[in-house]
Amino acid sequence: MNTPLVRQPEPPKPEALRLEQKRAGAKTFFDFGEESLRYGLDDGSASRTWTIEYAELSVERERFVERNTWWRNVGAIWVVLGAVLTSMDWAKTQVLGLSIWLPLGAGCLVWYAMRIRRFVVVASPRANVLVIDDASAAAILAEIDRRRAAQLRDRFDYLSPDESPEQQRHRVLWLQRQGSLDDHEVSARLLQIDLMAQSPSADPRQGERDE
């Protein structure tokens, strides 16, 4: 039987929470449930939804910048076309008259340069969660991290008689890297593992009473 390394009071159940974002034609929503995140992305061309357990989400973060290359390609073509027509008109009349395609193409290029979508990427085996990098991103990422850390702690913060002390230490240090245990908690658990390694018959909750 697995025994919690340090017995904790029963934590309150996390409340359901929904957060939404919208920027440059992209929309996201985050439904924070008790055990999993329901995440949706609508980028203007397609709409997708995933349900991902918090423990599956990576602690690592990447950044992703997206631009719509259609505006760049069309703008470049129209600028070239406008330049050619303007040159031909100048050759015939010796009067400089800008083709309408020049400002239209320039406008497309300006729109391409301005319409940028920046995302923070939270990877998972099921799907990458894209958080729009705006003023609300920090709150969404913090909520993901909080629920992820709590779920990992609930699942892996235990003492198993089937594991060696080295395996126990490895799991405790892994939980620390995942943000589920702070330095004080890690020290208490490593001490408890060491005491049990020296006295295999010791009560698993001895570390709790010693704190």
Side-chain angles (χ1 to χ4, degrees):
M1 177 183 296
N2 295 334
T3 303
L5 280 172
V6 179
R7 181 169 294 176
Q8 300 290 335
E10 186 69 22
K13 296 295 184 182
E15 295 182 359
L17 175 66
R18 182 182 178 94
L19 298 175
E20 298 180 351
Q21 295 178 296
K22 181 178 180 181
R23 181 174 182 180
K27 299 177 183 179
T28 60
F29 72 82
F30 305 85
D31 284 333
F32 292 93
E34 183 176 330
E35 296 291 334
S36 60
L37 170 69
R38 184 168 176 268
Y39 156 71
L41 170 66
D42 184 345
D43 61 6
S45 60
S47 179
R48 290 148 290 188
T49 303
W50 298 269
T51 299
I52 307 170
E53 287 194 338
Y54 299 115
E56 297 179 19
L57 297 168
S58 172
V59 71
E60 303 295 333
R61 301 288 184 266
E62 298 179 359
R63 295 191 179 272
F64 169 64
V65 178
E66 183 181 64
R67 289 186 173 93
N68 191 332
T69 57
W70 184 89
W71 292 101
R72 180 196 63 190
N73 297 338
V74 170
I77 292 173
W78 287 356
V79 165
V80 171
L81 176 61
V84 170
L85 294 177
T86 298
S87 299
M88 293 174 60
D89 188 60
W90 166 260
K92 290 180 181 179
T93 65
Q94 300 299 308
V95 177
L96 182 61
L98 295 179
S99 168
I100 186 62
W101 297 109
L102 271 175
L104 287 177
C108 288
L109 293 177
V110 170
W111 184 252
Y112 164 76
M114 294 178 58
R115 196 172 176 82
I116 300 174
R117 298 193 293 209
R118 292 183 171 87
F119 299 92
V120 179
V121 183
V122 183
S124 81
R126 192 180 304 272
N128 287 336
V129 175
L130 301 183
V131 181
I132 297 174
D133 194 3
D134 62 7
S136 65
I140 293 172
L141 293 171
E143 188 66 22
I144 289 175
D145 288 340
R146 184 180 73 84
R147 295 184 183 237
R148 176 182 178 277
Q151 190 171 80
L152 288 175
R153 178 170 179 153
D154 182 62
R155 293 182 178 183
F156 299 107
D157 187 22
Y158 60 82
L159 183 64
S160 172
D162 299 326
E163 293 182 337
S164 68
E166 187 58 34
Q167 290 174 311
Q168 305 278 14
R169 294 187 191 97
H170 178 77
R171 188 174 61 253
V172 168
L173 294 175
W174 176 77
L175 285 171
Q176 182 185 34
R177 292 194 299 271
Q178 304 308 309
S180 298
L181 298 176
D182 60 29
D183 292 343
H184 173 72
E185 291 169 326
V186 169
S187 297
R189 284 153 177 74
L190 293 179
L191 176 60
Q192 184 175 351
I193 291 170
D194 290 341
L195 290 174
M196 290 194 62
Q198 297 170 13
S199 302
S201 60
D203 185 345
R205 293 184 296 275
Q206 182 65 40
E208 177 190 356
R209 293 196 293 266
D210 291 342
E211 287 189 352

